Amino acid sequence: MSMELRSSTAKILIVLACLVVVMAGIKAASTIMVPFFLSIFIAIACSPIIHWTSKFGIPKWLSITFVILLIVIFGFLLAGLVGQSMTEFRENLPEYRTKLDSEFAWVVSQLSEYNIHINRELIASHLDPATAMSVATNFISGMGGVLSNLFLILLTVIFMLFEADSIPRRLHIALADPGMKLKHIDRFIKSVNSYLAIKTVVSLGTGLIIGLWLYIMGVDHFMLWAVLAFMLNFIPNIGSIIAAVPAVLIAFVQLGPASAGFAALGFLLVNTIMGNMVEPRLMGKGMGLSTLVVFLSLIFWGWLLGTVGMLLSVPLTMVVKIALESREESKWLAVLLSSDGDEVAKAS
């Protein structure tokens, strides 16, 4: 084995060992890292509003105060709506279980006529409304744990917004690029900014339409399902599916199989239109990540940082991709992460 090959192998092993140590550190310090990451991306998402208001001569402190007030008001409204809906759901849970048993008995009898026999008790245990709701409650509980540090997050966002204009310049200088020649930093900020802004607008539209659809159908707790559709839409690939499950199940229990089908159709139509037509049109080529990488990053960041990691999986992976593009030795990894290898070559 040549010295050069041994040297490159040793370098790879050292890098992998460093990555393991870094990930273990992030995992151990997740209670600190999660609010910090969330603060960064909230600040990036809010910075266009500050920049836009500055064009009209509005002082920065006034713009930041207005943005923070909007975040606080929106957060308290969201918490109030979700809390009230979940309390009502728990009160109605025995009634839902009774209705589910009768509806499922009808389905089993219909299937038996076509010589399809299924274990009623086994399937019913998996279709318990409480089991389906555990997906939603676990997600909301995870977000609630993060929002318990709301004051720390808001304080960090305020300081970041005040220094938002100077941070890119300082990053360039810190990386020995006073001439602002490195485009990776600017491209990262622009990409994440665009992604978060567009994703927020699309998710808000998805939540509003889903809520209206379920309200017209008369499904109980439609506001809770609308909030879940809004929040889970930030999770790529599987978020909209998770949001649909409890709403469709409640429609099945409350209104019957036909209404459950209409509720599922509503989720399918809204997510198809918003996710496959509206969002790509607004986002252009998007973040330049392959679908497989997006899904794997969802699993990885969810394991490392919990619920917030799932929400921020795409921006966090984009940070890694752009960092890999900045060095010749790691550019091949950036090609593997990208949806089109030519994009990396053009960016370089």
Side-chain angles (χ1 to χ4, degrees):
M1 186 182 290
S2 65
M3 290 293 293
E4 185 179 348
L5 183 58
R6 266 188 269 182
S7 176
S8 61
T9 304
K11 188 184 291 185
I12 291 171
L13 290 174
I14 291 170
V15 169
L16 289 175
C18 291
L19 283 175
V20 170
V21 172
V22 169
M23 285 190 293
I26 293 174
K27 182 76 173 174
S30 60
T31 52
I32 299 172
M33 298 301 295
V34 167
F36 178 68
F37 281 134
L38 194 60
S39 301
I40 291 174
F41 289 108
I42 289 174
I44 291 174
C46 294
S47 60
I49 301 174
I50 309 299
H51 181 70
W52 179 73
T53 54
S54 66
K55 294 179 180 178
F56 299 95
I58 299 174
K60 181 182 282 190
W61 67 268
L62 188 59
S63 302
I64 293 173
T65 303
F66 175 71
V67 168
I68 295 300
L69 280 174
L70 279 181
I71 293 172
V72 171
I73 292 169
F74 181 74
F76 277 113
L77 285 175
L78 207 62
L81 287 171
V82 170
Q84 182 181 355
S85 296
M86 292 193 71
T87 301
E88 292 175 359
F89 176 82
R90 290 191 186 96
E91 292 174 355
N92 296 333
L93 191 57
E95 181 185 348
Y96 290 147
R97 283 199 175 107
T98 304
K99 287 183 178 179
L100 181 63
D101 286 339
S102 61
E103 291 288 350
F104 194 65
W106 177 83
V107 172
V108 170
S109 65
Q110 292 296 312
L111 290 174
S112 62
E113 293 180 5
Y114 296 94
N115 204 28
I116 301 174
H117 302 283
I118 58 176
N119 189 324
R120 176 180 168 182
E121 288 74 20
L122 178 64
I123 302 298
S125 65
H126 290 288
L127 288 178
D128 187 357
T131 304
M133 269 301 291
S134 66
V135 176
T137 53
N138 289 340
F139 177 80
I140 292 170
S141 298
M143 287 303 297
V146 175
L147 292 177
S148 63
N149 297 314
L150 183 62
F151 179 74
L152 175 63
I153 293 171
L154 290 177
L155 203 60
T156 309
V157 169
I158 291 170
F159 284 116
M160 286 181 176
L161 287 175
F162 270 112
E163 300 198 10
D165 294 336
S166 62
I167 287 175
R169 181 174 56 82
R170 280 186 282 173
L171 281 172
H172 279 286
I173 295 171
L175 295 174
D177 180 41
M180 309 291 181
K181 294 176 184 177
L182 290 177
K183 302 298 181 184
H184 301 291
I185 299 170
D186 303 324
R187 190 159 62 86
F188 158 68
I189 294 173
K190 184 179 179 182
S191 298
V192 174
N193 210 325
S194 173
Y195 174 82
L196 290 175
I198 292 170
K199 197 69 177 176
T200 301
V201 171
V202 172
S203 299
L204 190 60
T206 300
L208 288 172
I209 297 170
I210 289 293
L212 183 62
W213 180 276
L214 297 177
Y215 170 73
I216 292 171
M217 289 182 59
V219 177
D220 287 346
H221 321 302
F222 65 93
M223 284 299 299
L224 177 60
W225 316 131
V227 170
L228 272 179
F230 162 70
M231 296 178 71
L232 289 171
N233 197 61
F234 283 91
I235 299 177
N237 300 328
I238 63 170
S240 55
I241 299 172
I242 297 172
V245 170
V248 171
L249 184 56
I250 292 300
F252 176 75
V253 172
Q254 181 192 351
L255 303 171
S259 295
F262 275 112
L265 179 63
F267 274 93
L268 179 63
L269 288 175
V270 171
N271 286 293
T272 300
I273 294 170
M274 299 297 282
N276 298 331
M277 298 180 185
V278 176
E279 189 174 312
R281 184 179 292 273
L282 293 174
M283 207 170 286
K285 291 186 177 180
M287 303 291 277
L289 298 171
S290 73
T291 306
L292 176 61
V293 168
V294 169
F295 181 72
L296 293 177
S297 70
L298 174 69
I299 298 171
F300 172 75
W301 291 112
W303 164 77
L304 193 63
L305 298 173
T307 305
V308 173
M310 297 175 73
L311 293 174
L312 300 177
S313 59
V314 172
L316 287 170
T317 307
M318 194 62 191
V319 174
V320 175
K321 176 174 173 282
I322 291 174
L324 293 171
E325 288 174 10
S326 63
R327 295 182 63 85
E328 287 295 330
E329 298 90 343
S330 59
K331 196 172 291 182
W332 64 276
L333 284 170
V335 173
L336 294 178
L337 294 178
S338 65
S339 56
D340 183 1
D342 292 335
E343 293 176 5
V344 179
K346 290 177 183 176
S348 303

